Amino acid sequence: MSDTALREVLAPFVPMGRAGLLPALHAAQQVHGWLPEEVAAEVGRALKVPLADVHGVIEFYTLFYGRPVGERVVRVCGDPTCALRGADRLIEGLCAAAGVVEGGTSADGAITIERVPCLGLCDHAPAALVDECVAIAADPDDPGRLADDVTTHPPSVIYGSQRVLTAVCSEDTTGIRDYEACGGYRALRRALEMGPEAVIAEVTAAGLVGRGGAAFPTGVKWEAARNEPARPKFVVCNTDESEPGTFKDRALLIDSPHLTVEGMVITGFAVGASRGYFYVRGEYPYIVPVAERAMEEARRAGYLGDDILGSGFSFDIEIRVGAGAYICGEETALFESIEGKRGFPRVKPPFPTSHGLFGKPTVINNVETLCNVPPIIREGADAYRRLGTEGSPGTKLFCLSGDVAKPGLYELPFGVTIRELVYQHGGGLPGERDVQAVLLGGAAGSFVTADRLDVALTMEDLRTEGLSLGSGVVMVFDETRDLRDVLARLGRFFAHESCGKCYPCQMGTERQAEVLDRIAAGRPEAGDVDRLQDIGWTMADTSLCGLGQTAATAVLSAMQHWPELFEETP
């Protein structure tokens, strides 16, 4: 690539300065294939970012390459759900066919094959990304190669007894006309008539809490941001769902992108923001054109942009794409990423509602949370609360995967039990096998044993049981599975994804992974139980953010239920 051509590629991002660093690196890599020294240097000069900082960003995010890679890059998920379905055999088969070692590039430079963390394709396991396209195993029962056909629109497998958020989800992306025909953007019109304070009051009355895992009351967050005097204010849609086993946001955005757009606009109106950022994880590149098309349709229809529906309220959305970092699901790390930095979490307080993106008041919600806003405003809080329970109103999206007959996304009212979800809705376990364990909440969640399947999936019931729903992951393991291998994969995931900012997490996740790998290999040592407990408790008590604080949750849970897994072999 010539210097002139590179400068032309970078030109749109120059006015952004440092904040344009990630999109500029994406654009340069898209053309060049990787990011050699001369490209990094030109990016730094164009955006006036020190070269050391440019290299720091390139090295931090796994989807940026500071070394040559193949013309095609195949990334195969190796996390638990795909592993249950033969991901290891798939990687071995692909490497053998291409004549490469795992993580290597073929001699002719045609292909690079990598093992990567969860791709959010658990309902299609085992799965891979071939450049920006989704591919699944040609034979799921004997995975050794990928199917010849790839797609930029992975089909969503959606079930549910109460289709509120997924009402217009189908095999094709819902365009604006079909969305309007089903009541789309009526909530926005009603919100503009109600006024910001009434909108916040309605969301508060509905009892909506964050669906990303923290379950913080949405109305409280919005009101705090609205009451801040500083300007400008921002709304951020967190689409960095990287928790292993989670794929709900992917399905919502691919099938019904206007629901998220409408939710973001209403949020902006309620809190007094004029700009929103849609941050999508780098492993979801196929979502970007879908979101861009939906936003452009909304602008043409007057739902997005200047003077929305003649109300005098203006709000627009900018898309930002991550580059492979689980930590960027943490809200302040996501802000750092948008600002063109390594995704390090910030110390809190101050909180995002007063000092968020670019140091300004910011509301950040995930996709599922934002998608709950239009039905609440359209139908009213009372109607919303008729579903679910008193303490957990509405519906919830459950990501059911693993050893279950019908893996997929399930929208059900809060209150369904784990047993009902797995057996009544999910079709039970293949081969009439029994449940050994259910991992609830994802890699940062806890295990549920077979005798606790009748617990109701509500915030209050799970809290009583010492469990958390997290992002909605329900991962099933049958009686034949070796949970030591599952734990080792979770350990490697956290060791890989720790950002390294705080020492307890940086060192703790590495030591935890080493011990779990040793146990999985059948070589436990005396004192491993104490080591894992000390590591886990130390990370939980002293880590800066939720990653380190929950990196040992599943391990400590397994130690409580199955202590024999960690015992030294006689």
Side-chain angles (χ1 to χ4, degrees):
M1 176 192 282
S2 68
D3 291 344
T4 301
L6 180 57
R7 282 193 289 271
E8 290 177 356
V9 169
L10 299 178
F13 312 108
V14 171
M16 300 180 187
R18 178 67 181 254
L21 184 53
L22 259 71
L25 290 172
H26 275 299
Q29 183 167 276
Q30 185 74 27
V31 175
H32 196 277
W34 62 293
L35 298 167
E37 177 70 21
E38 59 271 20
V39 172
E42 183 58 36
V43 170
R45 282 192 293 269
L47 273 61
K48 294 182 172 55
V49 177
L51 183 57
D53 289 0
V54 176
H55 279 300
V57 167
I58 293 172
E59 292 165 3
F60 183 83
Y61 296 94
T62 59
L63 298 184
F64 289 142
Y65 294 101
R67 57 178 174 80
V69 292
E71 295 177 13
R72 284 188 304 155
V73 178
V74 179
R75 304 178 179 97
V76 185
C77 174
D79 276 353
T81 297
C82 283
L84 295 180
R85 301 296 179 98
D88 290 347
R89 294 199 304 277
L90 179 57
I91 294 171
E92 291 169 3
L94 293 174
C95 288
V100 301
V101 297
E102 185 179 308
T105 301
S106 59
D108 60 0
I111 188 171
T112 297
I113 299 175
E114 299 179 332
R115 178 189 297 266
V116 298
C118 184
L119 295 170
L121 295 164
C122 317
D123 46 344
H124 299 290
L129 275 183
V130 181
D131 295 329
E132 297 189 352
C133 296
V134 173
I136 60 175
D139 183 355
D141 295 323
D142 186 22
R145 67 181 184 85
L146 293 170
D148 294 331
D149 57 322
V150 296
T151 179
T152 56
H153 189 146
S156 302
V157 185
I158 301 175
Y159 307 95
S161 60
Q162 295 286 346
R163 300 286 291 273
V164 178
L165 308 185
T166 60
V168 297
C169 292
S170 62
E171 293 184 0
D172 297 315
T173 299
T174 302
I176 192 167
R177 297 303 168 218
D178 289 334
Y179 182 66
E180 289 175 321
C182 296
Y185 291 108
R186 282 196 317 204
L188 175 58
R189 293 180 183 275
R190 183 164 188 259
L192 294 173
E193 295 170 355
M194 293 168 61
E197 291 82 3
V199 169
I200 294 176
E202 196 75 14
V203 170
T204 302
L208 177 63
V209 299
R211 298 292 201 253
F216 189 83
T218 304
V220 173
K221 179 186 291 189
W222 287 14
E223 186 170 14
R226 177 161 185 82
N227 290 338
E228 285 293 329
R231 295 288 189 278
K233 298 179 181 180
F234 299 103
V235 172
V236 176
C237 176
N238 184 347
T239 316
D240 196 72
E241 64 168 3
S242 306
E243 187 76 32
T246 310
F247 49 90
K248 57 189 175 64
D249 294 349
R250 186 207 83 215
L252 285 173
L253 287 167
I254 285 290
D255 287 13
S256 184
H258 282 282
L259 188 59
T260 300
V261 173
E262 186 176 14
M264 287 187 72
V265 179
I266 294 172
T267 305
F269 175 70
V271 304
S274 60
R275 189 157 196 84
Y277 283 86
F278 178 88
Y279 186 96
V280 58
R281 66 179 299 205
E283 292 87 351
Y284 284 171
Y286 43 82
I287 283 178
V288 175
V290 175
E292 288 176 335
R293 185 164 55 250
M295 292 174 191
E296 185 54 37
E297 287 179 334
R299 289 187 191 99
R300 289 198 300 266
Y303 301 126
L304 192 63
D306 295 330
D307 191 22
I308 293 173
L309 297 176
S311 66
F313 167 63
S314 299
F315 183 85
D316 214 334
I317 302 172
E318 181 176 335
I319 298 175
R320 290 297 177 88
V321 182
Y326 170 72
I327 187 62
C328 288
E330 196 278 336
E331 55 189 14
T332 62
L334 189 152
F335 298 155
E336 294 284 295
S337 185
I338 291 177
E339 292 175 13
K341 306 169 188 174
R342 296 160 72 96
F344 284 151
R346 301 172 184 172
V347 176
K348 293 184 286 190
F351 296 101
T353 49
S354 62
H355 295 77
L357 185 62
F358 303 116
K360 299 298 183 180
T362 303
V363 164
I364 177 168
N365 291 122
N366 78 328
V367 172
E368 185 183 355
T369 307
L370 290 167
C371 286
N372 273 273
V373 173
I376 289 173
I377 301 303
R378 185 176 62 244
E379 306 297 336
D382 290 342
Y384 183 82
R385 296 191 73 98
R386 292 191 192 110
L387 296 173
T389 67
E390 178 63 27
S392 299
T395 63
K396 180 72 184 82
L397 299 179
F398 299 101
C399 304
L400 184 62
S401 65
D403 292 317
V404 65
K406 292 166 55 181
L409 184 64
Y410 288 76
E411 183 176 7
L412 301 167
F414 275 109
V416 63
T417 67
I418 300 174
R419 187 182 306 278
E420 289 169 342
L421 174 59
V422 172
Y423 285 95
Q424 179 180 326
H425 297 282
L429 281 64
E432 298 184 353
R433 291 175 175 163
D434 293 328
V435 170
Q436 176 181 190
V438 174
L439 182 58
L440 196 63
S446 300
F447 284 101
V448 177
T449 53
D451 60 345
R452 299 175 76 193
L453 298 184
D454 291 312
V455 63
L457 292 170
T458 69
M459 304 295 183
E460 59 272 22
D461 287 281
L462 294 174
R463 192 179 303 116
T464 300
E465 294 289 328
L467 300 167
S468 172
L469 186 56
S471 57
V473 173
V474 182
M475 194 180 299
V476 182
F477 301 93
D478 71 33
E479 57 193 319
T480 71
R481 302 300 185 180
D482 185 353
L483 293 183
R484 294 171 299 180
D485 177 73
V486 175
L487 291 169
R489 292 177 191 272
L490 296 179
R492 289 194 292 270
F493 170 79
F494 282 113
H496 178 269
E497 296 297 338
S498 175
C499 73
K501 181 173 183 177
C502 71
Y503 188 76
C505 177
Q506 179 192 39
M507 182 61 69
T509 53
E510 290 288 347
R511 297 291 84 80
Q512 176 176 261
E514 290 172 4
V515 175
L516 292 173
D517 277 339
R518 187 168 66 237
I519 291 172
R523 301 190 308 273
E525 297 179 0
D528 276 350
V529 169
D530 291 337
R531 291 187 189 96
L532 288 173
Q533 287 178 336
D534 288 346
I535 291 168
W537 293 335
T538 300
M539 288 194 293
D541 290 341
T542 62
S543 293
L544 177 61
C545 80
L547 189 155
Q549 292 164 9
T550 60
T553 302
V555 176
L556 295 173
S557 170
M559 292 173 69
Q560 178 183 359
H561 296 308
W562 304 284
E564 67 276 6
L565 296 176
F566 304 87
E567 294 176 356
E568 186 177 5
T569 304

